[in-house]
Amino acid sequence: MSVDIFLWLVQDGITNGAIYALLALALLLVFSVTRVIFVPQGEFISFAALSLALLQNGQTPGLIFLLMGGGLLAFAMEAWTAYRQGDWRNWPVSVLLYLVWPMGMAGLVMWLAPTKPGLWSQVGLVLGMVVCLGPILYRTAYQPLAKASVLVLFIASMAVHYILTGLGLVFFGGEGLRSEPLSDARFQWGVLNISAQSLLVIAASVLAMLILWLFFDRSLYGKALRATAINRLGARLVGIRTELAGMISFTLAALLGALSGLLIAPITTIYYDTGFLFGLKGFVGAILGGMASYPLAVVGALVLGLLEAGASFAASQFKESLVFSIIIPPLIWLSLRSRHVEQEEEEES
Amino acid sequence: MKKSFALAGITAFLACGAVKADITVGVSLGITGPGASLGVHYRNAYQLMPKTIAGEPVKYIILDDGSDPTNAAKNARKLVSEDKVDVLMGSNGVPSAVQMAQVAAESKIPMIVLTPANLSPQVFPWAVIVPQPTEIMMGAIANELKATGAKNVAYIGFSDTWGDLVYKALDSHAAASGFKITTNERYARADTSVTGQVLKIISTNPDAVVIGGSGTGGALPHVALVERGFKKPIYHNHGTVNAEFIKVGGKAVQGAVAVTGPLIVPEELPDNAPTKAVSLDFTKRYEAAFGAGSRNAFAGYAYDGFLILNAAATEALKKAKPGTPAFHEALRSALENVRNVVGTHGVYNMTPTNHNGVDERARVLVQVEAGSWRLKK
C-alpha cells in the first residue's frame, strides 16, 4: 500500500466516520435519556436524503402524508391524555408540535415543491419535515411505554423501524436516488484531491458536535437532559419532566439524522432501506465508545469509518464481517464490567 | 399485500365453484424488501398480460415474498396447496426462485423461473428459465473486451449471489478472450463509499473495469472510478440497464457500456431482428401504462414467461384439463419442448436438456448517450 493510497483511505474513512459519529451521538443521546435503543434512527437519514433528491426533481415527497397522519395521531393521543387528566396546561405546545408544524410543513412543501426552490430552501424544507417526525414518533410510540423495560422499548423500536421502512418504500419507490452536490468544487492537497462535499461533511459534523456540547453544557434544557440521563428518578424529584426530556432528545436525534441524510445524499446512492445500515454502524460506533461517553462514541465512530475504508481496500468481500465483528471485544468487556444491569432495570421499572 | 390477499380470496372462492377449466397461474415476487426495485417492474408486467390462453380464462394470483427466500417458499406452498395453481412463476431474486422451484418439483407443478437461476438436477425437469444465462450475456462483454484488445480487466460486484454469478460468467470467457481478471472486489448496495475498492482497482492498472451490480447500485463504483480519474471503458451487466441508473449516475456514467436484452432498444434494431415487433408492442404498451422511459428488462422477462406459457399451455390443453395432474405433466413436457417462441428478449427454443433456449439473438450492447440507453454502434 503506497502513501497516497493510505491518505485516500484515511480521507474516505474520516468522511464516513463523521457521519457515523453524528448517528452515534444521536443514538447515545436517546438511549441515555429514554433507554430506547433507537433502531429507526437510520430512517431519518433515508427520509431526509430521498426527500432532498425528490425536491430537486420538483416532486413532492410522500413523507408529508406521514407528517400529517402521524401528527393527527399524536395530537389525538395528547388530547385524550389531557382530557382524562383534566390538565390542559400543555395544550398550546401540543397544538403547535402536532398540528401546526406538521400540517404547515406539509402545506409549505406541497406549495413550494413544484417551483423547485433554491438549494437552501430545499435543505430547510427537508429539515422541517424530518425533524418534525422526532416528537411525533416519541409521542405515538415511546411515551406511552416510557416506564417499560429496555427490551420492550427495543421491540417497539423494531416495530417502528419496520413501519417506517415500509412507508419509505411507498413514498420513495424501490430504486435509489442521489441528490446534486451542494458544491462541485475539488481541492488539490498534496496527492489528495478532496471534494468540497466531503469537507462540508466534516465541517458540518464538527459544528453539530460543538453546538451539542454547548447545548449540554450551557443551556438549562441541556442540563435537564443530562440530569435525566444520569438519574431519571432524581431528575423527576427536582422537577424535570421526563416526557419533556424524551421529547427533546428525540427531536435532537431527528435533527442529527436529517443532517446526516442531507450530508450523505450527494455522496452515495440512497435507497429507502439504506438508513438502517448507517444507523447500525452509528450504533457500532456508540458501542465502541462503551455506550456511555459522547467523546468516546465519536472516537469509536471514526475508528469504525477508518476500519471500513481499510477493509474495503484490503478485503472487500469481508468488509461488513470485519466492521461488525469489532463490536464483539467491547461487548465482552462491557458485559464483564457491568454485571448489575438487570437489577438496576428492575428497580427502575 | 392486501390486494393480493383479496385476489387470492376471490380466486379461492371461484375455485370452489364449477369453473375448474381455468388455468391458474401462481406468482410470487419480491414487491417489497431489498429486491423491490426489480419486483415492482415484474408485477407491472402482469397488468398487461392477456386474460385468456387458447380461449381458456387465465387467473393470476400474485403474492409478495418481501425478497425473502423463506417467504417465497411459503408462498409457493400456499399457491400449490390452497390455490391449486397449474403453474408457478417467480421470483425476482435468485435465492427466492430456487426455493420456489424446489416446491414446484416436490408438488409436480411446472414452474417458469424469472431470474437466471442455476437449478439442481432434481428440480430441473420441472422448471424453465426465462432470463438469458449470465454466461451468454457476459459473452458479449468478453467479445467486446477482446475486440478492444483489453488484457487486464478488473472486476467489482455486489457482495451477494449476483456478484458471484457475474464474476463466474466473466471468468468463464476470460481464457478464450485473452484477458486476465485482476481484481474480484465486492461492495454492498447500501455502502457509503467504494473508495477502497476503487483504489485497489486503479492500482492494478486495468484496461477496463466490469461492474457486477444491478439497477442504481451499479452507479456507485462507476461514479467513484470516474471521480478518481479512470478514463478507460467501464462495462455493466444486464441487471443495471434502467433509466434510474442514468439519473443517479448523472454525467459520470455517460459512455457506460452494458449488455442487455434487445427489449431496451427495439426502435434502433434492424427491421429483420426477430424480436423487434414483439418488443416494440410491449414497450409501447408498458410505457403507456407506467410512463415514458419506464421500459426495463425485468417486465420483459415476466412477459416472455407468459408467452412461453401461452405456447406450452395451448399444447397441454389438447391433452388434459387444467387442475389435473395429467395437465401439469402435459404442461411440463410442453414447456421443455416449445419451439420458436418469439419474446421481447429473444427467441426461445427449449429442449429437455436446455431449459432456457435463447441464443446470441437475445443480447445487444447498449451505451449511455445523452442521458439514455442507445444501441452501441
Side-chain angles (χ1 to χ4, degrees):
Chain A
M1 195 195 295
S2 63
V3 178
D4 53 336
I5 287 182
F6 179 74
L7 288 175
W8 273 114
L9 290 177
V10 168
Q11 184 240 333
D12 187 53
I14 291 177
T15 313
N16 288 334
I19 301 271
Y20 298 152
L22 285 183
L23 296 170
L25 288 180
L27 287 163
L28 195 54
L29 169 66
V30 169
F31 179 73
S32 58
V33 175
T34 64
R35 296 172 306 132
V36 172
I37 295 171
F38 195 41
V39 185
Q41 176 67 33
E43 264 69 61
F44 292 138
I45 308 174
S46 295
F47 284 179
L50 292 167
S51 300
L52 181 68
L54 284 187
L55 283 175
Q56 289 182 345
N57 291 342
Q59 288 163 283
T60 312
L63 193 59
I64 54 172
F65 298 111
L66 178 61
L67 288 190
M68 294 193 283
L72 280 179
L73 183 63
F75 183 72
M77 289 170 83
E78 192 77 340
W80 175 243
T81 331
Y83 168 74
R84 275 212 319 196
Q85 298 177 344
D87 177 1
W88 298 87
R89 272 175 302 167
N90 279 320
W91 195 239
V93 181
S94 311
V95 172
L96 197 71
L97 269 183
Y98 306 126
L99 277 187
V100 178
W101 187 2
M103 299 299 163
M105 215 52 229
L108 203 61
V109 169
M110 268 197 270
W111 175 51
L112 283 178
T115 66
K116 288 200 186 190
L119 185 65
W120 294 109
S121 326
Q122 289 167 3
V123 169
L125 286 178
V126 170
L127 283 178
M129 278 193 292
V130 176
V131 175
C132 170
L133 282 176
I136 291 178
L137 282 185
Y138 179 70
R139 183 62 191 91
T140 51
Y142 296 101
Q143 194 178 320
L145 295 172
K147 293 196 179 70
S149 70
V150 171
L151 184 66
V152 171
L153 289 169
F154 177 65
I155 294 169
S157 275
M158 287 312 290
V160 174
H161 160 66
Y162 281 120
I163 292 169
L164 290 183
T165 316
L167 288 172
L169 179 61
V170 176
F171 296 151
F172 303 108
E175 271 298 359
L177 293 169
R178 192 186 261 243
S179 66
E180 290 149 29
L182 302 178
S183 158
D184 254 337
R186 304 190 76 92
F187 305 102
Q188 197 68 34
W189 188 58
V191 287
L192 288 183
N193 178 300
I194 301 173
S195 70
Q197 184 67 32
S198 53
L199 288 180
L200 189 70
V201 169
I202 296 166
S205 305
V206 172
L207 190 70
M209 286 171 207
L210 267 178
I211 293 174
L212 265 187
W213 176 71
L214 283 177
F215 173 74
F216 281 119
D217 205 52
R218 299 291 152 85
S219 79
L220 192 62
Y221 283 109
K223 285 176 182 165
L225 281 191
R226 269 169 60 207
T228 316
I230 294 165
N231 190 327
R232 201 163 292 106
L233 188 63
R236 265 228 307 272
L237 287 177
V238 295
I240 297 167
R241 284 175 47 223
T242 8
E243 292 89 37
L244 184 69
M247 178 88 51
I248 295 174
S249 64
F250 270 73
T251 313
L252 282 174
L255 178 66
L256 289 170
L259 189 66
S260 324
L262 290 172
L263 291 171
I264 198 88
I267 296 182
T268 186
T269 316
I270 306 284
Y271 298 81
Y272 73 97
D273 59 351
T274 310
F276 176 61
L277 205 61
F278 289 177
L280 219 51
K281 286 182 181 157
F283 192 58
V284 172
I287 289 179
L288 286 181
M291 220 41 199
S293 141
Y294 291 97
L296 277 182
V298 172
V299 174
L302 283 176
V303 168
L304 182 78
L306 290 170
L307 183 84
E308 196 183 25
S312 66
F313 179 81
S316 59
Q317 291 95 326
F318 305 109
K319 194 190 79 177
E320 304 292 20
S321 325
L322 287 170
V323 163
F324 287 112
S325 56
I326 60 163
I327 63 167
I328 295 173
L331 281 181
I332 291 175
W333 182 69
L334 279 177
S335 66
L336 286 179
R337 205 191 48 151
S338 56
R339 205 161 284 177
H340 323 290
V341 170
E342 280 153 59
Q343 287 173 350
E344 279 172 13
E345 291 290 325
E346 275 160 33
E347 278 168 29
E348 273 185 75
S349 54
Chain B
M1 201 61 190
K2 223 174 205 164
K3 204 169 175 187
S4 39
F5 277 138
L7 211 64
I10 293 166
T11 330
F13 172 69
L14 287 176
C16 299
V19 279
K20 202 60 209 120
D22 292 14
I23 301 172
T24 316
V25 182
V27 188
S28 175
L29 295 170
I31 301 165
T32 58
S37 65
L38 312 184
V40 169
H41 298 312
Y42 280 97
R43 185 203 51 199
N44 287 347
Y46 282 89
Q47 298 183 19
L48 303 177
M49 287 186 194
K51 302 283 178 280
T52 59
I53 288 178
E56 296 289 339
V58 193
K59 278 189 309 244
Y60 302 96
I61 304 170
I62 303 175
L63 301 182
D64 177 17
D65 58 42
S67 312
D68 178 348
T70 319
N71 281 342
K74 249 187 255 169
N75 281 349
R77 284 195 198 286
K78 181 178 171 301
L79 288 165
V80 169
S81 59
E82 289 175 27
D83 301 314
K84 309 272 182 257
V85 299
D86 295 303
V87 57
L88 283 170
M89 287 174 94
S91 178
N92 48 307
V94 172
S96 301
V98 169
Q99 289 292 321
M100 288 181 72
Q102 197 74 38
V103 177
E106 276 171 29
S107 355
K108 304 208 178 315
I109 299 286
M111 170 160 177
I112 297 172
V113 178
L114 302 180
T115 37
N118 286 326
L119 299 175
S120 63
Q122 298 93 308
V123 173
F124 186 81
W126 288 95
V128 295
I129 302 157
V130 179
Q132 304 89 336
T134 321
E135 281 77 17
I136 287 196
M137 295 310 252
M138 296 316 284
I141 303 271
N143 289 346
E144 184 73 8
L145 288 167
K146 193 178 178 185
T148 55
K151 290 279 168 275
N152 292 316
V153 176
Y155 176 79
I156 173 166
F158 275 174
S159 49
D160 63 7
T161 335
W162 185 239
D164 286 339
L165 270 177
V166 177
Y167 178 80
K168 277 188 201 135
L170 184 69
D171 193 41
S172 71
H173 294 285
S177 307
F179 62 83
K180 199 172 93 230
I181 302 180
T182 59
T183 63
N184 180 7
E185 294 300 310
R186 295 306 166 91
Y187 71 107
R189 188 182 65 134
D191 276 356
T192 35
S193 94
V194 287
T195 308
Q197 293 94 322
V198 161
L199 287 171
K200 187 140 178 202
I201 285 174
I202 291 179
S203 72
T204 66
N205 196 19
D207 302 314
V209 176
V210 176
I211 296 178
S214 77
T216 40
L220 182 62
H222 193 125
V223 173
L225 278 164
V226 171
E227 272 177 8
R228 292 287 172 278
F230 187 77
K231 298 255 168 6
K232 293 180 182 138
I234 301 174
Y235 297 95
H236 291 269
N237 64 78
H238 45 303
T240 304
V241 180
N242 63 16
E244 285 85 0
F245 168 80
I246 302 178
K247 210 171 3 171
V248 164
K251 274 175 281 176
V253 300
Q254 290 302 313
V257 178
V259 62
T260 184
L263 155 73
I264 300 299
V265 285
E267 292 86 355
E268 297 174 67
L269 293 175
D271 283 335
N272 61 3
T275 56
K276 181 162 182 167
V278 183
S279 298
L280 265 181
D281 167 63
F282 180 70
T283 45
K284 212 163 82 193
R285 287 198 290 141
Y286 192 86
E287 295 198 341
F290 304 105
S294 60
R295 69 178 64 178
N296 61 82
F298 311 108
Y301 293 137
Y303 193 70
D304 284 6
F306 168 80
L307 293 173
I308 294 168
L309 174 66
N310 185 46
T314 310
E315 286 305 307
L317 279 169
K318 291 176 191 159
K319 293 187 188 138
K321 278 231 168 294
T324 61
F327 179 76
H328 301 154
E329 173 55 33
L331 185 60
R332 186 199 72 78
S333 115
L335 276 172
E336 65 179 14
N337 286 301
V338 296
R339 289 279 179 282
N340 289 323
V341 173
V342 180
T344 58
H345 276 279
V347 182
Y348 298 87
N349 281 300
M350 310 278 180
T351 67
T353 52
N354 180 353
H355 276 192
N356 173 260
V358 293
D359 49 31
E360 278 77 18
R361 288 176 291 179
R363 68 185 192 198
V364 292
L365 282 180
V366 290
Q367 188 162 26
V368 179
E369 270 176 46
S372 63
W373 291 103
R374 310 296 296 271
L375 194 65
K376 187 171 188 300
K377 304 278 161 11

Coordinates of all heavy atoms in Angstrom, one line a residue, chain B residues 49 89 112 114 130 300-310 348:
Chain B
M49 N -50.8 -8.5 -19.2 CA -50.9 -9.9 -19.8 C -52.3 -10.2 -20.1 O -53.3 -9.9 -19.4 CB -50.4 -10.9 -18.8 CG -48.9 -10.8 -18.7 SD -48.2 -12.0 -17.7 CE -46.6 -11.4 -17.4
M89 N -44.9 -19.0 -11.2 CA -43.9 -18.1 -11.8 C -43.3 -17.3 -10.7 O -43.9 -16.9 -9.7 CB -44.6 -17.2 -12.8 CG -45.1 -17.9 -14.1 SD -46.0 -16.8 -15.1 CE -44.8 -16.1 -16.2
I112 N -42.2 -21.5 -14.1 CA -41.4 -20.6 -15.1 C -40.6 -19.7 -14.2 O -41.2 -18.9 -13.5 CB -42.4 -19.9 -16.0 CG1 -43.1 -20.9 -16.9 CG2 -41.6 -18.9 -16.8 CD1 -44.3 -20.3 -17.7
L114 N -38.2 -16.7 -13.3 CA -38.0 -15.4 -13.9 C -36.6 -14.7 -13.6 O -36.4 -13.5 -13.8 CB -39.1 -14.4 -13.4 CG -40.5 -14.9 -13.8 CD1 -41.6 -13.9 -13.3 CD2 -40.7 -15.1 -15.3
V130 N -36.5 -18.1 -17.9 CA -36.7 -17.2 -18.9 C -35.4 -16.3 -19.2 O -35.0 -16.2 -20.3 CB -37.9 -16.2 -18.6 CG1 -38.1 -15.2 -19.7 CG2 -39.2 -17.1 -18.5
G300 N -40.0 -7.4 -19.1 CA -39.9 -8.2 -20.3 C -39.8 -9.7 -20.0 O -40.4 -10.6 -20.6
Y301 N -39.0 -10.0 -18.9 CA -38.9 -11.4 -18.5 C -40.2 -12.0 -18.1 O -40.6 -13.1 -18.5 CB -37.9 -11.6 -17.3 CG -36.5 -11.2 -17.7 CD1 -35.7 -10.5 -16.9 CD2 -35.9 -11.7 -18.9 CE1 -34.4 -10.1 -17.2 CE2 -34.6 -11.4 -19.2 CZ -33.8 -10.6 -18.4 OH -32.6 -10.3 -18.7
A302 N -41.0 -11.2 -17.3 CA -42.3 -11.7 -16.9 C -43.2 -11.9 -18.1 O -43.9 -12.9 -18.2 CB -42.9 -10.7 -15.9
Y303 N -43.1 -11.0 -19.1 CA -44.0 -11.1 -20.2 C -43.6 -12.3 -21.1 O -44.4 -13.0 -21.6 CB -43.9 -9.8 -21.0 CG -45.0 -9.7 -22.1 CD1 -46.3 -9.5 -21.7 CD2 -44.7 -9.8 -23.4 CE1 -47.3 -9.4 -22.6 CE2 -45.7 -9.7 -24.4 CZ -47.0 -9.5 -24.0 OH -48.0 -9.4 -24.9
D304 N -42.3 -12.4 -21.3 CA -41.8 -13.6 -22.0 C -42.2 -14.9 -21.4 O -42.5 -15.9 -22.0 CB -40.3 -13.6 -22.2 CG -39.8 -12.5 -23.2 OD1 -40.7 -11.8 -23.7 OD2 -38.6 -12.5 -23.6
G305 N -42.2 -14.9 -20.0 CA -42.7 -16.0 -19.3 C -44.1 -16.4 -19.7 O -44.5 -17.5 -19.9
F306 N -44.9 -15.3 -19.8 CA -46.3 -15.5 -20.3 C -46.3 -16.1 -21.7 O -47.1 -17.1 -22.0 CB -47.1 -14.2 -20.3 CG -48.4 -14.4 -21.0 CD1 -49.5 -15.0 -20.4 CD2 -48.6 -14.0 -22.3 CE1 -50.7 -15.2 -21.1 CE2 -49.7 -14.2 -23.0 CZ -50.8 -14.8 -22.4
L307 N -45.5 -15.6 -22.6 CA -45.5 -16.0 -24.0 C -45.1 -17.5 -24.1 O -45.7 -18.3 -24.8 CB -44.6 -15.2 -24.8 CG -45.0 -13.7 -25.0 CD1 -43.9 -12.9 -25.7 CD2 -46.3 -13.6 -25.8
I308 N -44.1 -17.9 -23.3 CA -43.7 -19.3 -23.2 C -44.9 -20.2 -22.7 O -45.2 -21.2 -23.3 CB -42.4 -19.5 -22.4 CG1 -41.3 -18.8 -23.0 CG2 -42.1 -20.9 -22.2 CD1 -40.1 -18.6 -22.2
L309 N -45.5 -19.7 -21.6 CA -46.6 -20.4 -21.0 C -47.7 -20.5 -22.0 O -48.4 -21.6 -22.2 CB -47.1 -19.7 -19.8 CG -48.4 -20.2 -19.1 CD1 -48.1 -21.6 -18.5 CD2 -48.9 -19.3 -18.0
N310 N -48.0 -19.5 -22.7 CA -49.1 -19.4 -23.7 C -48.8 -20.5 -24.8 O -49.8 -21.3 -25.0 CB -49.0 -18.1 -24.4 CG -50.2 -17.9 -25.4 OD1 -51.3 -18.2 -25.0 ND2 -49.9 -17.4 -26.6
Y348 N -37.1 -18.3 -28.0 CA -37.0 -19.4 -27.1 C -37.2 -20.7 -27.8 O -38.2 -21.0 -28.4 CB -37.9 -19.3 -25.9 CG -37.7 -18.0 -25.1 CD1 -38.3 -16.8 -25.5 CD2 -36.9 -18.0 -24.0 CE1 -38.1 -15.6 -24.8 CE2 -36.7 -16.8 -23.3 CZ -37.3 -15.6 -23.7 OH -37.1 -14.5 -23.0

